[in-house]
Amino acid sequence: MCISAVCVVFGLLFCVQSLCLDCPGGCECFAVTHAVKCISKDLLTVPQMIPGYAKTVVITGNNIHKIGPDSFTELENISKVILSNNRMTEMGSHSFSTLIHLRFLDLSDNQLSIIHPEALSIPGSPLQELNLSRSLYNFTALTDLTTALRWGDLRGLLRLDLSVYSGTFSGVNNLEVLDLTRNAFRTFGTDDLKELEKLGNIRILLDADSVRCASPKTLANSRLRGLGSKVIGCIVPNQTEMTDLSLQTSYVFLGLVLGFVGMVFLFVLYLNRKGMKRWIVEMRDACHDVMEGYHYRYEIDSDPRLGHISDQNGVSRARQHVGVSLSQLPPNDTCIITEDAHVKPLKSPSEARNVL
């Protein structure tokens, strides 16, 4: 039993060691999932001696600037290759010709400027999905890719991703016609439309019968052919509408500013509430004194018996005149000359009071 157990342990160690030895430096190999991963290892070339059991090869985040016919050798089982984000600039002839079972190829996020016409030539045309998004560095790469797709005879290709980025059509100032017919385009992203807009007034050929609207919901799945420019919103906004919108924005901003100023003012009043209360009380007392003076002046002016008192004598003389005591009245035989010059004798003090 002991001898058998030892043999099993040594056998497992030998298997593990053999697997480790088969894995290229800087990579991770997984025999169970049949995968090899070489991620961000600063590799300059595609690793050699990839295990024969590998079906998926992931090589990303490295500095592999070029691939060619010697990059993949004797790897007939591989069906999926991911070479994204490797700063790749050149793809040589027959770069994948040895991968006769390759169905998925991802070359996204590279900087391809040179593509050989036979770069995608694979015997039997097994390729079904090809991702070249954000990899076409300039318009020459786009021209080379068109030739490579034609020469590659990709009869089994089901999905092709050519998502462009800024600069794809740079340098083609004399382009007059862009033919996009016989494709399966379903949507055009915002970035794609901006790139096409940079081309200026050129003719763009599309399969108009198959192009349909995705949004808005009211026009979803409607054919593009027959829709007017106003219906799909391809019109220049009216200058009056733009002015009105600017005015509305200005009014909103002014309202916000005034609201902020009002809040600050109320806050200042709250902080000085005691001083404001004292000031209000003082103002009230001052107004009360002024009103008392006006009231007293009104009583004097409204008394016809005091009309002969001139304004120059002042309020003090008026008070003095009114405040004459009855003890100072003249005797009974004294006469008072009134304004109408009639003389009337005063017989008693009570009668004198009535006269006053």
Side-chain angles (χ1 to χ4, degrees):
M1 290 293 294
C2 294
I3 297 176
S4 300
V6 172
C7 292
V8 171
V9 172
F10 275 105
L12 292 174
L13 291 176
F14 177 77
C15 292
V16 173
Q17 184 178 7
S18 62
L19 291 176
C20 293
L21 291 175
D22 290 341
C23 191
C27 299
E28 296 178 334
C29 300
F30 306 91
V32 177
T33 58
H34 306 284
V36 176
K37 296 183 179 180
C38 311
I39 302 176
S40 300
K41 300 297 182 181
D42 292 330
L43 300 177
L44 300 178
T45 58
V46 175
Q48 300 298 313
M49 302 299 296
I50 294 177
Y53 59 78
K55 293 183 179 180
T56 300
V57 176
V58 180
I59 305 174
T60 63
N62 297 287
N63 294 310
I64 304 175
H65 299 291
K66 178 181 178 181
I67 59 173
D70 298 331
S71 298
F72 299 94
T73 58
E74 300 179 358
L75 296 172
E76 297 180 357
N77 294 325
I78 292 181
S79 61
K80 185 176 183 179
V81 174
I82 299 177
L83 294 173
S84 61
N85 192 23
N86 283 307
R87 299 180 177 85
M88 191 181 304
T89 59
E90 182 178 351
M91 190 160 55
S93 64
H94 298 90
S95 296
F96 309 98
S97 59
T98 59
L99 308 179
I100 58 177
H101 292 102
L102 182 63
R103 289 179 173 81
F104 180 89
L105 177 59
D106 186 355
L107 295 169
S108 61
D109 295 300
N110 283 294
Q111 301 173 0
L112 291 173
S113 58
I114 301 175
I115 302 176
H116 194 275
E118 295 182 340
L120 299 174
S121 297
I122 303 174
S125 302
L127 198 59
Q128 296 179 355
E129 295 187 34
L130 176 59
N131 186 358
L132 285 165
S133 61
R134 301 175 301 277
S135 286
L136 304 177
Y137 184 72
N138 50 31
F139 72 96
T140 59
L142 182 62
T143 304
D144 293 346
L145 177 62
T146 303
T147 305
L149 292 174
R150 185 183 302 114
W151 286 28
D153 192 21
L154 305 178
R155 292 170 294 177
L157 191 63
L158 301 177
R159 180 179 177 83
L160 175 62
D161 191 345
L162 295 176
S163 303
V164 295
Y165 65 96
S166 179
T168 299
F169 294 105
S170 61
V172 289
N173 300 326
N174 297 324
L175 185 65
E176 297 180 355
V177 180
L178 178 61
D179 190 350
L180 297 176
T181 58
R182 293 183 294 178
N183 285 292
F185 293 129
R186 294 186 178 181
T187 60
F188 286 92
T190 304
D191 295 337
D192 302 333
L193 295 176
K194 289 181 179 179
E195 284 298 313
L196 294 176
E197 185 179 3
K198 292 179 181 179
L199 296 177
N201 297 324
I202 68 169
R203 294 178 57 197
I204 299 178
L205 304 180
L206 289 170
D207 295 325
D209 292 332
S210 59
V211 178
R212 299 178 182 273
C213 294
S215 63
K217 293 182 179 180
T218 55
L219 298 176
N221 205 31
S222 300
R223 288 187 178 183
L224 186 62
R225 181 188 291 275
L227 295 179
S229 59
K230 293 184 178 180
V231 175
I232 60 178
C234 299
I235 57 176
V236 178
N238 192 355
Q239 188 67 26
T240 304
E241 295 178 356
M242 295 178 63
T243 304
D244 294 340
L245 181 60
S246 300
L247 289 176
Q248 293 177 4
T249 305
S250 301
Y251 290 150
V252 172
F253 180 75
L254 179 61
L256 293 175
V257 172
L258 293 178
F260 178 75
V261 172
M263 292 178 63
V264 173
F265 179 73
L266 293 176
F267 182 71
V268 173
L269 290 181
Y270 176 76
L271 294 178
N272 296 275
R273 58 188 183 277
K274 294 182 179 179
M276 291 294 297
K277 183 178 180 180
R278 184 169 55 255
W279 178 78
I280 292 174
V281 172
E282 293 176 354
M283 288 295 297
R284 183 192 63 187
D285 296 340
C287 292
H288 184 267
D289 295 339
V290 173
M291 293 302 297
E292 285 290 335
Y294 280 121
H295 181 70
Y296 183 74
R297 182 64 181 174
Y298 174 77
E299 289 180 351
I300 294 177
D301 294 340
S302 61
D303 192 345
R305 293 168 297 176
L306 301 177
H308 65 282
I309 301 177
S310 63
D311 294 335
Q312 296 178 354
N313 294 331
V315 177
S316 60
R317 294 185 59 187
R319 289 181 177 178
Q320 182 179 2
H321 179 79
V322 176
V324 175
S325 63
L326 295 177
S327 60
Q328 298 176 355
L329 290 173
N332 295 337
D333 54 353
T334 303
C335 296
I336 296 178
I337 300 175
T338 60
E339 292 180 357
D340 54 0
H342 293 286
V343 177
K344 184 178 182 181
L346 297 177
K347 297 180 179 181
S348 63
S350 60
E351 188 177 354
R353 292 192 189 96
N354 293 332
V355 172
L356 291 176

